[in-house]
């Protein structure tokens, strides 16, 4: 099973959607690649990923996250990498936002749209968050 | 009760951690060994059986007590990922070209009454349900073909033989339901 994911949004909820599916797929013997673009780059930004915003007006969910003992985004990122999930940061967005490869977690690769399309063309499913 | 090789305590963890931890724990087990997974995540009731099915493990049982869920999963001997092979299949017509040649065996896996009502010349009748018990009658060398009425049971027979380590099996489809060849 090959899964290609586009992460294009940078909120806390977006991060959970992306990394929960990614780790679950990788733990189920899936080959997973995530293309981070636009605000999605926040999800693998060394500092940014630890301070992802809740959607406006949903801040009260913070307590629920704690109560449900949901892993932190940092933990999910580490877990994803350990399970072999491949991270691709979008070069064009990095240029626009003035970001360097070093701003992202170790192991992140940089590529363009064709890099993603190349891996998505033979994926069994492509998900966009 | 199961003969548990290893216990994984993942109580208090929420999705996707029970699945992730289960995968990691399972890596250390040998095929046939049983992993006990203790969780409180109710998503695991559906997730772990599906995980087991997808990754080729045998899901044994769920025991629920006071909100604590204990799953029993037996490590499967499924091929490593990437090694799954396509089912070798030929058409009725292709089979008729090799029928009768040296080393060719045709196993008809339909029920005896269906077989008696008409079967291909030289076919051996081993109903699907008896395949595992009658493995010795199926040659390990040469080319073994499995056939049924419409291809379904032959497919299951193929899988059973493949699981038994046989690599000389080919399915004939659609099968006797659409047979233009000679009949005995």
């Amino acid at each position: 099973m090959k899964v290609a994911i586009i992460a294009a949004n940078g909120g806390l909820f977006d991060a959970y959607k992306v990394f929960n599916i990614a780790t679950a797929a990788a733990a189920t013997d899936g080959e997973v690649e995530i293309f981070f673009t636009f605000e999605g780059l926040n999800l693998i930004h060394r500092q940014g990923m630890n301070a992802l915003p809740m959607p406006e007006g949903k801040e009260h969910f913070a307590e629920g996250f704690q109560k449900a003992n949901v892993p932190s985004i940092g933990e999910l990122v580490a877990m994803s990498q350990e399970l072999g999930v491949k991270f691709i940061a979008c070069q064009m967005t990095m240029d626009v936002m003035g970001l360097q490869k070093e701003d992202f977690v170790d192991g992140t690769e940089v590529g363009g749209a064709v890099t993603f399309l190349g891996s998505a063309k033979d994926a069994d499913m492509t998900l966009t968050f | 009760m199961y003969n548990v090789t290893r216990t994984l305590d993942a109580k208090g963890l929420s999705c996707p951690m029970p699945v992730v931890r289960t995968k990691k724990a399972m890596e250390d087990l040998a095929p046939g060994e049983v992993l006990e997974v203790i969780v409180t995540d109710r998503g695991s009731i559906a997730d772990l059986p599906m995980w087991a099915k997808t990754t080729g493990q045998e899901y044994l049982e769920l025991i629920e007590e006071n909100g604590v869920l204990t799953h029993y999963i037996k490590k499967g001997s499924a091929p490593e990922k990437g090694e799954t092979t396509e089912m070798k299949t030929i058409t009725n017509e292709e089979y008729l070209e090799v029928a009768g040649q040296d080393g060719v065996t045709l196993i008809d896996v339909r029920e005896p009454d269906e077989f008696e009502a008409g079967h291909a010349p030289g076919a051996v009748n081993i109903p699907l349900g008896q395949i595992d018990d009658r493995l010795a009658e199926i040659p390990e060398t040469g080319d073994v073909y499995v056939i049924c009425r419409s291809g379904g049971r032959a497919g299951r027979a193929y899988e059973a033989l493949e699981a038994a380590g046989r690599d000389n099996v080919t399915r004939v489809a659609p099968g006797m339901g659409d047979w233009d060849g000679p009949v005995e």
Side-chain angles (χ1 to χ4, degrees), chain B:
Chain B
M1 198 75 294
Y2 303 102
N3 187 4
V4 171
T5 305
R6 186 162 166 202
T7 299
L8 168 68
D9 184 349
K11 289 199 290 289
L13 298 178
S14 70
C15 173
M17 298 313 294
V19 165
V20 171
R21 293 279 172 85
T22 300
K23 178 219 165 40
K24 292 194 171 175
M26 200 55 113
E27 282 171 0
D28 299 333
L29 267 64
E33 292 185 330
V34 174
L35 178 70
E36 178 181 51
V37 185
I38 307 173
V39 295
T40 47
D41 169 31
R42 299 197 66 79
S44 71
I45 296 172
D47 270 15
L48 283 176
M50 179 55 84
W51 175 84
K53 189 178 162 202
T54 309
T55 59
Q57 329 295 339
E58 187 186 343
Y59 186 85
L60 299 172
E61 194 181 3
L62 166 67
I63 294 174
E64 181 171 358
E65 211 173 336
N66 302 325
V68 175
L69 307 160
T70 306
H71 300 264
Y72 294 92
I73 307 170
K74 188 197 256 183
K75 172 119 171 185
S77 49
E80 293 294 308
K81 57 177 167 174
E83 286 181 16
T84 6
T85 49
E86 295 272 311
M87 188 179 296
K88 280 180 284 176
T89 301
I90 61 170
T91 62
N92 293 356
E93 292 71 28
E94 286 168 325
Y95 171 75
L96 286 168
E97 286 173 22
V98 299
Q101 290 181 10
D102 276 353
V104 168
T105 306
L106 181 66
I107 310 284
D108 190 324
V109 300
R110 295 176 300 161
E111 295 305 307
D113 55 332
E114 297 175 87
F115 183 81
E116 290 309 325
H119 55 263
V124 180
N125 184 214
I126 304 182
L128 176 63
Q130 298 176 18
I131 291 279
D132 283 333
D133 294 331
R134 295 173 62 183
L135 274 179
E137 296 173 43
I138 302 170
E140 291 187 52
T141 54
D143 294 315
V144 172
Y145 295 89
V146 286
I147 195 166
C148 63
R149 186 179 62 80
S150 59
R153 284 172 286 178
R156 281 156 65 196
Y158 177 99
E159 286 167 355
L161 289 166
E162 192 181 40
R166 302 300 180 88
D167 58 3
N168 60 335
V169 182
T170 301
R171 179 176 69 137
V172 183
M176 299 308 295
D178 194 25
W179 188 252
D180 290 328
V183 172
E184 284 182 346

